[in-house]
Amino acid sequence: MSFKSIKNKPSFKIATNIYVIILTVFVVWMLFFDENSYLTHREFNKEINELKSWIDYHEKKIKKDKKTIQQLQDSLQLKRYAREKYLMKKENEDIYIIEFDTIKSNE
């Protein structure tokens, strides 16, 4: 195959067309090298998804805390919460903490 026979093929003529070359360079530039490239957009979308999940987590936590605050408006619930969460006690009262071993032994 000589250069003349390759030069006469239609695929070679299309590939060496100046508009096709310019378009190819433009597409490659826009996909990989430009400030607004596909790769940059992909990273931004990943970051957006992470931030959305972070927001969802904190919104659920806020709802839970609001529910806890609502329950703590009652003085009995407030005392119960203080006893369970912070191990507070009344005067002249003894508290015993019983921990159960959750690890099964191989006997």
Side-chain angles (χ1 to χ4, degrees), residues 54-82:
W54 186 80
I55 288 170
D56 290 340
Y57 168 76
H58 286 288
E59 285 177 347
K60 288 177 185 176
K61 192 167 176 126
I62 287 171
K63 285 181 184 178
K64 181 182 173 189
D65 289 344
K66 283 184 179 181
K67 184 179 176 184
T68 303
I69 290 171
Q70 192 78 21
Q71 289 176 348
L72 293 178
Q73 299 300 322
D74 182 24
S75 63
L76 293 176
Q77 288 290 336
L78 182 62
K79 288 179 185 178
R80 180 175 162 248
Y81 185 81

Side-chain angles (χ1 to χ4, degrees), residues 18-41:
I18 188 71
Y19 296 113
V20 172
I21 293 171
I22 291 173
L23 181 66
T24 304
V25 169
F26 175 75
V27 168
V28 168
W29 179 265
M30 292 305 290
L31 284 176
F32 299 108
F33 302 114
D34 191 49
E35 186 177 302
N36 300 317
S37 70
Y38 170 73
L39 299 175
T40 306
H41 279 282

